[in-house]
Amino acid sequence: MKIYLKIWRQKDATSKGKMVDYPMDGIEGDMSFLEMLDILNEDLITKGEEPIEFDHDCREGICGTCSLQINGRPHGPDRMITACQLHMRSFKDGDTITVEPFRAKAFPVIKDLIIDRTAFDRIQQAGGYISVNTSGHTIDANTIPIEKENADDSFYAAACIGCGACVAACKNASAMLFTSAKVSQFALLPQGRVEATDRVLNMVRQMDIEGFGNCTNTGACEIECPKGISLENIARMNREYLSASLKG
């Protein structure tokens, strides 16, 4: 299979980037998208050229680091997968494929296709945790009864891998889906209720400080999320935020 790649190249955070064309031949449908990029990089290195920098780690759809904008969509044309799970059979012979980093003010480009997503880390650090009693008089979490629906919803929210696809898909570069998932996974459980007020206020405040946009309910974030995180989490976070604001 022959394809034509248009890939964003940017030397560093302060340099001006541009799209560069890379024609490729002999691509097999069973190759993963990242494997195809590996082959391209091997060819570039052989020619003495600078390889394309991109993030990846597990290549199993778990870590979320393989965040690429492929033909204008986060993680590519298929749904409910990350870029590392995308295979070249999703494209046709002769296709032109545009590959870019996720675009958002809060996700500055470091080099080529690598972006700085530490803004997500700072949101998590602002409140995405619970305090644990280590006095020796702790209660085993397994002895606390939790409604199955709440446990399931908390588990589904915790499935968020923090890849940033929701931000890349949103016309406002909003991080509401990510933040609400991190709020929801604790808000639904009794262990998380103790710090619920401070958590939602601090995490939303940090989200705004990082420069993410607001939510206008277009739903693109849920559609492009590789883990299918529901918009219901945003509604829950809004309720939590309103309640916390009134208490404050």
Side-chain angles (χ1 to χ4, degrees):
M1 182 168 66
K2 189 171 185 177
I3 59 172
Y4 301 91
L5 295 171
K6 291 181 176 293
I7 300 180
W8 183 260
R9 301 303 307 265
Q10 185 171 333
K11 184 178 180 181
D12 53 46
T14 59
S15 299
K16 185 177 180 180
K18 64 178 181 179
M19 303 299 295
V20 179
D21 295 340
Y22 297 100
M24 294 189 71
D25 204 351
I27 300 301
E28 299 177 4
D30 289 338
M31 289 180 181
S32 73
F33 196 85
L34 297 192
E35 185 180 358
M36 178 273 296
L37 291 179
D38 287 338
I39 292 172
L40 172 58
N41 275 343
E42 288 177 6
D43 184 52
L44 291 175
I45 292 170
T46 300
K47 293 177 180 177
E49 299 179 26
E50 185 79 12
I52 297 160
E53 300 283 350
F54 61 94
D55 267 332
H56 66 93
D57 190 8
C58 72
R59 299 205 178 199
E60 294 179 350
I62 298 171
C63 68
T65 56
C66 59
S67 300
L68 299 174
Q69 193 88 345
I70 303 169
N71 283 348
R73 293 186 62 178
H75 297 297
D78 292 349
R79 290 200 61 191
M80 301 291 289
I81 64 168
T82 54
C84 65
Q85 297 173 299
L86 179 67
H87 287 79
M88 296 310 295
R89 55 179 170 265
S90 297
F91 305 95
K92 298 177 183 178
D93 184 36
D95 274 357
T96 296
I97 306 172
T98 302
V99 188
E100 302 173 84
F102 284 176
R103 304 290 189 179
K105 178 183 177 182
F107 289 163
V109 175
I110 297 174
K111 183 176 182 180
D112 292 339
L113 303 175
I114 299 178
I115 58 171
D116 181 353
R117 285 176 297 170
T118 55
F120 271 8
D121 295 335
R122 290 187 288 272
I123 292 174
Q124 184 78 356
Q125 291 163 3
Y129 55 85
I130 59 172
S131 296
V132 178
N133 179 5
T134 58
S135 65
H137 301 288
T138 57
I139 300 175
D140 189 338
N142 292 327
T143 67
I144 302 174
I146 301 171
E147 293 183 8
K148 186 178 186 306
E149 183 178 355
N150 288 343
D152 286 346
D153 287 346
S154 176
F155 181 83
Y156 296 145
C160 169
I161 56 177
C163 67
C166 52
V167 176
C170 179
K171 64 180 181 180
N172 304 321
S174 172
M176 288 283 279
L177 192 66
F178 166 79
T179 307
S180 66
K182 299 308 178 184
V183 168
S184 288
Q185 71 180 81
F186 295 114
L188 288 158
L189 302 177
Q191 295 92 335
R193 295 313 306 171
V194 177
E195 297 158 315
T197 298
D198 289 339
R199 176 180 300 108
V200 69
L201 292 176
N202 290 340
M203 292 183 78
V204 171
R205 183 183 302 114
Q206 188 64 41
M207 178 182 69
D208 292 338
I209 290 172
E210 297 296 340
F212 291 105
N214 208 344
C215 174
T216 49
N217 295 309
T218 60
C221 54
E222 180 179 348
I223 292 172
E224 300 295 356
C225 175
K227 299 302 176 182
I229 303 299
S230 174
L231 286 174
E232 292 179 3
N233 291 297
I234 295 179
R236 182 179 296 108
M237 186 179 75
N238 286 337
R239 293 193 297 270
E240 289 282 324
Y241 186 82
L242 177 60
S243 176
S245 298
L246 292 174
K247 288 180 183 178

